[in-house]
Amino acid sequence: MSAAICPYCLVRPATVHISVVDQENQVQAIHICQNCADQQQLEPTAASDALSTWIEEHPPQAAKGSTPFPSLHINLQVSHRGSEGERCPHCGITWKEFMAKQRLGCAHDYEVFADRLVDVLEQIHGARRHEGRRPDQDPVEDERHRLLTQLEHAVEREHYEEAAQLRDRLQQLDAPNRQGESEA
Amino acid sequence: MIDIGDLCRQPMLWCHEGGPDSSVVLCSRARLARNLADTAFKRRLDVAAQEDLLKRLETTLGLIFTDHQLMHLTAASGSLREALVERHIISLELARSEDPSAVFIEGHQRSALMLNEEDHVRLQAFTPGCNLPGALAAVVALDQRSEQHVAWAFDDSLGYLTACPSNAGTALRLSALVHLPALAESGELKRAARGLGQLHLAVRGLFGESSTGIGHFYQVSNQRTLGQSEDAICTRVEEAVQALVGYEQEARKALLEHRRIRLEDRIQRALATLTHARLLTESETIELLSTLRLGIALELVDTPLAAVDRLLVRAQNGHLRIDDPRAVDQDYRHALRADLVRSTLDL
């Protein structure tokens, strides 16, 4: 893919990449063409030196006893219950293989490696327990709850036309129940 | 059988149905990951077992989703896969995969079901503009249809079970595709992204592979899927995106107030290049369309927003190669893109 266009002149390619460190020690990237960099008096060399210095002063630290989970950019603290060679009897995956590839082998692994996976889940999600929908949920109740939430949002944002449509859909959902009540 | 040419010529949902806050939020997307309880995840299956899985999914889901058409990806060309990524119908991971795979696509491209991506099935639904509750409702409706006939892998305590633990629980990924040129220009974007990170929301560039985002188009999505209900996740993402919309609108007003002439100059230069250039690269086009899009939002040009949003998709490499197989040649493709842009904007 070709270089991005310089956002200052909109003509030349942004071939100069400068990293600067702000007051909060965060690195910011600027992409600019050489011509505009000269005009703005930006000096890549000086900025790069600042970046190199910052990296030296802030090397990545792994917590003691942690394992890197690169795709999630976190270091997991996993208690070492069970052996790394323990294998799922359904798909054959070991814990070691999971940590290397960051992917489980089958749904049964959640049971086989339950103790360790709960630690992993806690660190990724900050939670150990599912609070959402279930397969056996009544779909009509599910839909009613969802429509009510959307209706509340629409009213809050003063989208009254949308709110009216949602109200109509809720009424249609409740219509069979009302008919049953009147017949009783 | 889906005609890929017809599919690619259809405008994206948000082009013909402007949604709430569409000058900042192009569309909202909800994705659910689901797996069969009795079958291993992809990486533990050999090719024959994956083909068998795919056939089962195609048969079962084909009977349920009669309003969706099936497209096989296994032997599909690179251009076709690229075009489907450009339309956000399949993920980059699925496009690059050499494993047996397929996708069900709804007639108006409001929803799609990816088969044999990282998980067995990934259901997704789109709504124009900022309407995450609408996208969530649509994807839940797809899930409810599927659950009448399929037993998905589910645990009472951990929720829906997925190949990567980072998706377990609700297995819901809610995203908003946003355009934030003013925040980027004001230098406030990184601060906003850090704020979103503290809310466990991820920000990624929509075009290109880096997180900086060509044209300042980004995808904002939840990172956590366990421990909150789907509605709670939706509320969190919606509130954050609404705040982002507010900041972007304020930054646009500030640009107009303090840097009007420079802004007008950039927008007019972008319009001039787009309507007169004879060669345009993909990234250059996205950057210029981004500037033009900002100009439209600020009412500094009267180009229709739908035309720009159509070009953001149709001017990409995969779409051009589908339109004209000769676009495999880079120079030809740059010229073809320039022709398309001129003819679309020459209103």
Side-chain angles (χ1 to χ4, degrees):
Chain A
M1 190 180 280
S2 54
I5 292 295
C6 173
Y8 291 87
C9 65
L10 284 180
V11 174
R12 286 169 286 273
T15 51
V16 177
H17 300 172
I18 297 171
S19 297
V20 294
V21 181
D22 65 21
Q23 289 175 339
E24 293 166 50
N25 275 337
Q26 297 296 320
V27 178
Q28 295 205 36
I30 301 172
H31 303 281
I32 194 171
C33 73
Q34 188 63 62
N35 204 62
C36 290
D38 292 342
Q39 285 179 20
Q40 304 257 352
Q41 296 179 322
L42 292 170
E43 296 176 8
T45 308
S48 297
D49 283 347
L51 174 60
S52 304
T53 306
W54 184 83
I55 287 174
E56 280 165 22
E57 289 175 1
H58 297 82
Q61 295 281 353
K64 188 181 167 186
S66 69
T67 313
F69 209 78
S71 70
L72 299 174
H73 306 293
I74 58 174
N75 283 309
L76 297 178
Q77 297 266 12
V78 180
S79 55
H80 293 285
R81 291 187 277 261
S83 75
E84 298 229 318
E86 185 182 358
R87 197 177 281 280
C88 169
H90 300 274
C91 67
I93 199 171
T94 61
W95 180 256
K96 193 176 171 183
E97 282 174 308
F98 159 62
M99 288 306 283
K101 300 221 169 109
Q102 302 150 38
R103 297 294 182 271
L104 293 162
C106 72
H108 297 284
D109 296 346
Y110 282 89
E111 194 182 353
V112 173
F113 305 118
D115 289 348
R116 283 180 281 188
L117 269 177
V118 154
D119 285 342
V120 170
L121 290 167
E122 175 111 53
Q123 286 178 67
I124 295 170
H125 301 283
R128 293 173 164 243
R129 201 164 168 85
H130 176 60
E131 299 290 342
R133 292 176 59 245
R134 296 170 178 279
D136 51 3
Q137 214 155 324
D138 178 353
V140 173
E141 274 310 304
D142 209 7
E143 175 72 2
R144 181 182 290 113
H145 177 70
R146 186 141 296 100
L147 286 171
L148 274 170
T149 307
Q150 285 181 67
L151 179 58
E152 280 168 20
H153 277 239
V155 168
E156 264 170 40
R157 287 161 56 187
E158 298 181 7
H159 292 166
Y160 295 120
E161 200 176 311
E162 184 192 340
Q165 287 168 359
L166 288 163
R167 179 209 58 206
D168 292 345
R169 279 167 64 189
L170 265 166
Q171 284 172 352
Q172 281 169 8
L173 205 61
D174 287 338
N177 290 342
R178 288 210 187 114
Q179 193 175 6
E181 280 167 14
S182 66
E183 281 170 2
Chain B
M1 175 84 82
I2 302 179
D3 182 287
I4 185 64
D6 286 344
L7 187 145
C8 287
R9 277 185 283 276
Q10 259 188 46
M12 296 299 296
L13 192 63
W14 59 81
C15 297
H16 57 84
E17 282 182 36
D21 301 314
S22 55
S23 73
V24 179
V25 185
L26 280 71
C27 83
S28 305
R29 182 169 63 186
R31 184 273 277 155
L32 290 173
R34 294 291 185 257
N35 292 280
L36 296 175
D38 60 356
T39 307
F41 300 137
K42 183 161 88 163
R43 291 187 191 214
R44 299 305 283 189
L45 297 175
D46 61 24
V47 173
Q50 288 188 51
E51 280 169 357
D52 181 61
L53 165 66
L54 194 62
K55 210 174 281 186
R56 286 167 57 200
L57 290 171
E58 286 172 5
T59 305
T60 307
L61 296 175
L63 293 171
I64 303 167
F65 296 101
T66 53
D67 52 344
H68 289 59
Q69 279 190 283
L70 180 66
M71 183 179 283
H72 288 282
L73 297 173
T74 316
S77 67
S79 305
L80 187 153
R81 292 165 181 244
E82 200 172 359
L84 291 176
V85 172
E86 289 162 1
R87 298 182 87 79
H88 307 288
I89 288 174
I90 67 172
S91 61
L92 197 54
E93 177 168 331
L94 193 64
R96 287 176 174 168
S97 167
E98 291 174 1
D99 299 320
S101 62
V103 61
F104 280 100
I105 307 173
E106 189 265 343
H108 299 285
Q109 297 176 48
R110 292 172 196 271
S111 58
L113 288 76
M114 289 189 281
L115 307 186
N116 206 31
E117 209 242 26
E118 178 180 285
D119 295 291
H120 295 158
V121 181
R122 287 195 168 184
L123 308 104
Q124 48 184 13
F126 309 92
T127 48
C130 185
N131 186 5
L132 288 154
L136 175 61
V139 85
V140 164
L142 294 176
D143 193 35
Q144 285 169 339
R145 283 165 76 179
S146 72
E147 281 179 338
Q148 287 169 18
H149 302 274
V150 184
W152 298 126
F154 180 85
D155 178 89
D156 244 5
S157 176
L158 300 177
Y160 290 94
L161 303 176
T162 52
C164 183
S166 64
N167 287 314
T170 59
L172 171 68
R173 197 75 64 197
L174 272 172
S175 313
L177 278 53
V178 296
H179 184 215
L180 306 173
L183 270 180
E185 175 124 358
S186 66
E188 292 299 310
L189 188 58
K190 280 209 183 289
R191 202 185 306 272
R194 277 200 295 277
L196 291 173
Q198 284 166 1
L199 295 171
H200 305 290
L201 299 173
V203 184
R204 278 197 344 230
L206 197 57
F207 299 108
E209 303 223 7
S210 76
S211 60
T212 48
I214 297 173
H216 308 301
F217 291 97
Y218 300 92
Q219 180 180 283
V220 178
S221 50
N222 62 299
Q223 289 180 304
R224 292 181 162 181
T225 55
L226 178 71
Q228 299 172 82
S229 68
E230 289 82 357
D231 288 332
I233 293 171
C234 184
T235 300
R236 179 192 279 260
V237 181
E238 175 95 343
E239 284 174 358
V241 171
Q242 283 295 321
L244 212 51
V245 167
Y247 296 143
E248 173 65 19
Q249 304 281 31
E250 286 302 311
R252 288 179 184 187
K253 274 189 207 150
L255 270 183
L256 204 53
E257 197 176 316
H258 302 296
R259 296 174 62 176
R260 187 181 180 112
I261 192 65
R262 287 177 73 94
L263 192 57
E264 280 185 329
D265 183 60
R266 272 180 49 207
I267 290 163
Q268 292 298 332
R269 282 170 186 268
L271 186 58
T273 305
L274 287 166
T275 51
H276 288 83
R278 290 321 194 241
L279 296 172
L280 286 170
T281 66
E282 185 184 76
S283 58
E284 179 183 19
T285 303
I286 291 168
E287 297 275 10
L288 294 170
L289 287 173
S290 167
T291 304
L292 184 58
R293 205 176 190 275
L294 177 61
I296 295 167
L298 297 175
E299 296 177 358
L300 295 174
V301 288
D302 57 12
T303 309
L305 184 62
V308 170
D309 285 350
R310 249 195 325 272
L311 282 172
L312 278 170
V313 177
R314 292 211 53 208
Q316 289 188 67
N317 290 336
H319 272 70
L320 290 173
R321 287 199 278 261
I322 295 290
D323 270 345
D324 187 339
R326 290 171 292 182
V328 132
D329 175 79
Q330 184 173 267
D331 286 343
Y332 187 90
R333 190 167 66 246
H334 292 174
L336 185 67
R337 180 179 290 112
D339 289 346
L340 172 69
V341 169
R342 283 200 316 279
S343 64
T344 303
L345 295 180
D346 183 23
L347 301 164

